[in-house]
Amino acid sequence: MFGLSALFLARFQFAFTVGFHIVFPAFSIGLAAYLAVLEGLWLKTGRSAYLDLFKYWLKVFSVVFGMGVVSGLVMSYEFGTNWSAFSQKAGPILGPMLAYEVMTAFFLEAGFLGVMMFGLNRVGKGLHFAATCMVSIGTLISMSWILSSNSWMQTPRGYRIDEATGRFLPVDWWQIVFNPSFPYRIVHMGLAAFLCVAFIVAGVAGWHLLKARREGRQASEQVRLMFSMAMWMAAIVSPIQVLAGDTQGLNTLEYQPAKIAALEGDWESESRAPEILFGIPDMENETTHYKIAVPYLGSLILTHSLDGKVPGLKDFPKEDRAYSPLLFFSFRIMVALGMLMVLVGLWSLYLRWKGKLYDTPLLHRIALFMSPAGFLALLCGWVTTEVGRQPFTVYGLLRTSDSVSPIALPSIATSMIAFIVVYFIVFMGGITILLRTFAEEPHPGEHGPAEDQPQRAAGTTQVSHQPPSSPTAGAGMAE
């Protein structure tokens, strides 16, 4: 299954780059919405703590957004170098959808990003808030197009296949864009992005609450405020996310039953099926070893009926089965992290009611420990979704083995090594910057990204910085 081949290495390389990339857009989506909320609350209440938090997290957003853009560019090249057969066959459908994402979302973000980043003291408050909202909306539109494209690969609709070339040609764009899995997946992904940011914010606030306690002082208003907001988000959104995941599971059972069988570790289809809490699926012997199962629970969860029938992997040809061991554990890690988020959110509600939200060090330590939980759950969910589609790139229609470029193993291995080295240097540097920012406590009069320093624009001429009153100030600069 995992022998070293050009196909396997091409898959691993794409998984590696996407695994890095997916974290940053999710962070950007949730953080842009958080920034819009903070600025809106500041404008509504006039409370300076909201503005301080806005400036603090705006510095984080500037780093995260840049890393997301850079990591995403690599994948467009991989489609051409490693997956040219897939690009040639699915391009008539996926190409326009990705172009729409650029023309709508990316242009919207790029157009208003500079105003949001550097224009707080240069444009009116209302205009700046509008720019922040536009950036947030842009990230959501971007997510929508990307998920629509990916969902079409999971549940393809609205196409015909050209007999001469084998290409997928669009017939009904409404069915293509709003394919059966898209509505469920966009809700699930959007909520996941919000939870990722909520627990990062909670972790940063928890760190500073613990630090203030060690130093024998009260945490600042800004720290307490962002911890409170993060716990509200965890308490409200995490239970909704569980329900959203359940509806997506029902959709997957209807349209991708083989994926459900693989992630559940079920080999025989049966009614009143148990839920396997732990086990080790064995693809060769077609069984799951060391099972710990709860009777009837599998049917109840997957079909909402004790008598519901759950599919087994033996219902499908061996060559059409996804790799169950990886799916089995990635799915359970995702669910376990989701349940922990729900528990943390509910516990915070209880402590809030008791008036001890800021005086319970154990909650603050758990919040700090759980800060990466959203991203870990996101990555596990991505593995479950994408590996569960195998051995197809377009589910049931185009095999992964027929999608790869005719490229030699040494070429892919060379680029893979280069990616690993560059990614770890660049992204570890970016993460280091983020951690240093998080280590600094937000304080009254917080400064956002520097607005008074000129930035080099394209070209070779360096223009000196002029006082704002000068008619030539800013000429040739992008600030």
Side-chain angles (χ1 to χ4, degrees):
M1 177 69 186
F2 292 111
L4 190 62
S5 64
L7 173 60
F8 170 75
L9 207 56
R11 289 178 60 190
F12 182 80
Q13 180 174 305
F14 198 77
F16 175 81
T17 52
V18 173
F20 267 91
H21 172 67
I22 195 173
V23 169
F24 297 107
F27 206 161
S28 297
I29 292 164
L31 194 52
Y34 182 49
L35 289 170
V37 170
L38 287 171
E39 188 171 7
L41 289 172
W42 169 60
L43 292 175
K44 180 177 177 60
T45 65
R47 188 175 173 183
S48 60
Y50 287 121
L51 179 60
D52 294 332
L53 289 179
F54 173 84
K55 292 180 177 179
Y56 179 85
W57 288 102
L58 186 60
K59 292 184 291 185
V60 175
F61 182 83
S62 66
V63 178
V64 170
F65 187 85
M67 293 172 72
V69 172
V70 171
S71 60
L73 291 174
V74 175
M75 294 185 296
S76 61
Y77 291 103
E78 287 184 76
F79 279 119
T81 57
N82 295 352
W83 301 100
S84 59
F86 169 77
S87 300
Q88 192 272 336
K89 292 180 179 179
I93 288 179
L94 298 183
M97 295 177 76
L98 297 179
Y100 297 150
E101 187 259 343
V102 172
M103 290 188 295
T104 56
F106 192 76
F107 284 0
L108 186 65
E109 295 171 81
F112 288 96
L113 182 64
V115 178
M116 184 185 80
M117 294 291 298
F118 309 113
L120 185 59
N121 298 321
R122 303 184 179 201
V123 300
K125 294 179 180 179
L127 180 58
H128 188 271
F129 178 58
T132 303
C133 291
M134 288 300 101
V135 172
S136 179
I137 292 170
T139 63
L140 293 172
I141 294 174
S142 178
M143 176 187 71
S144 300
W145 281 116
I146 296 299
L147 275 182
S148 179
S149 304
N150 186 268
S151 296
W152 182 85
M153 294 164 63
Q154 303 280 344
T155 51
R157 292 293 185 277
Y159 67 91
R160 70 177 179 87
I161 298 178
D162 183 74
E163 295 182 0
T165 62
R167 305 182 79 192
F168 295 90
L169 302 178
V171 174
D172 187 334
W173 279 106
W174 182 267
Q175 291 187 33
I176 291 171
V177 174
F178 298 98
N179 56 80
S181 63
F182 171 64
Y184 303 94
R185 297 186 66 218
I186 191 173
V187 172
H188 199 45
M189 179 63 189
L191 293 175
F194 296 152
L195 282 174
C196 286
V197 171
F199 276 88
I200 285 290
V201 173
V204 173
W207 165 263
H208 290 294
L209 285 167
L210 291 169
K211 182 179 179 182
R213 188 179 186 87
R214 288 194 303 269
E215 296 174 354
R217 59 179 176 86
Q218 186 181 39
S220 67
E221 178 189 8
Q222 290 78 6
V223 169
R224 288 183 282 118
L225 181 58
M226 69 178 179
F227 187 73
S228 176
M229 294 177 72
M231 287 297 99
W232 274 123
M233 182 65 74
I236 295 171
V237 175
S238 54
I240 298 176
Q241 178 70 312
V242 172
L243 297 177
D246 178 66
T247 60
Q248 185 176 339
L250 295 175
N251 178 266
T252 305
L253 177 62
E254 179 179 358
Y255 292 99
Q256 296 177 296
K259 180 188 290 187
I260 290 292
L263 65 85
E264 289 292 334
D266 293 324
W267 293 90
E268 305 285 350
S269 60
E270 57 181 318
S271 301
R272 301 188 177 186
E275 174 66 20
I276 303 175
L277 302 180
F278 177 81
I280 301 178
D282 185 337
M283 297 295 289
E284 183 176 350
N285 296 311
E286 299 184 333
T287 187
T288 298
H289 301 292
Y290 314 113
K291 288 192 294 187
I292 300 175
V294 179
Y296 306 111
L297 187 59
S299 291
L300 182 62
I301 292 175
L302 289 170
T303 68
H304 292 185
S305 170
L306 289 174
D307 297 320
K309 188 173 183 179
V310 175
L313 275 171
K314 289 183 180 180
D315 295 346
F316 309 95
K318 286 187 176 182
E319 63 272 16
D320 292 345
R321 299 173 187 172
Y323 189 65
S324 181
L326 181 57
L327 285 171
F328 185 89
F329 287 105
S330 65
F331 177 72
R332 277 151 184 77
I333 294 171
M334 178 188 70
V335 172
L337 290 170
M339 292 297 104
L340 285 175
M341 293 181 203
V342 172
L343 291 175
V344 170
L346 294 178
W347 186 27
S348 73
L349 283 180
Y350 172 75
L351 292 175
R352 191 187 297 272
W353 175 63
K354 298 287 287 185
K356 297 182 178 179
L357 184 65
Y358 310 116
D359 303 317
T360 306
L362 181 58
L363 175 63
H364 307 155
R365 291 190 183 94
I366 290 177
L368 177 59
F369 178 77
M370 288 281 290
S371 56
F375 293 113
L376 293 176
L378 176 72
L379 288 170
C380 287
W382 169 75
V383 168
T384 302
T385 298
E386 298 305 301
V387 175
R389 189 184 64 224
Q390 297 301 320
F392 301 98
T393 49
V394 180
Y395 189 73
L397 298 171
L398 179 61
R399 290 186 173 274
T400 307
S401 57
D402 296 327
S403 303
V404 71
S405 301
I407 188 171
L409 176 62
S411 299
I412 301 180
T414 301
S415 61
M416 183 73 250
I417 294 171
F419 278 138
I420 291 175
V421 172
V422 172
Y423 268 55
F424 273 100
I425 293 175
V426 173
F427 290 106
M428 290 306 103
I431 291 171
T432 300
I433 294 173
L434 291 177
L435 291 176
R436 288 179 177 175
T437 303
F438 294 154
E440 298 178 3
E441 182 174 337
H443 53 78
E446 181 71 43
H447 295 287
E451 300 181 26
D452 59 345
Q453 297 297 321
Q455 307 294 323
R456 286 296 302 273
T460 58
T461 303
Q462 177 67 55
V463 181
S464 61
H465 185 59
Q466 301 288 338
S469 58
S470 170
T472 61
M477 290 184 271
E479 292 189 11

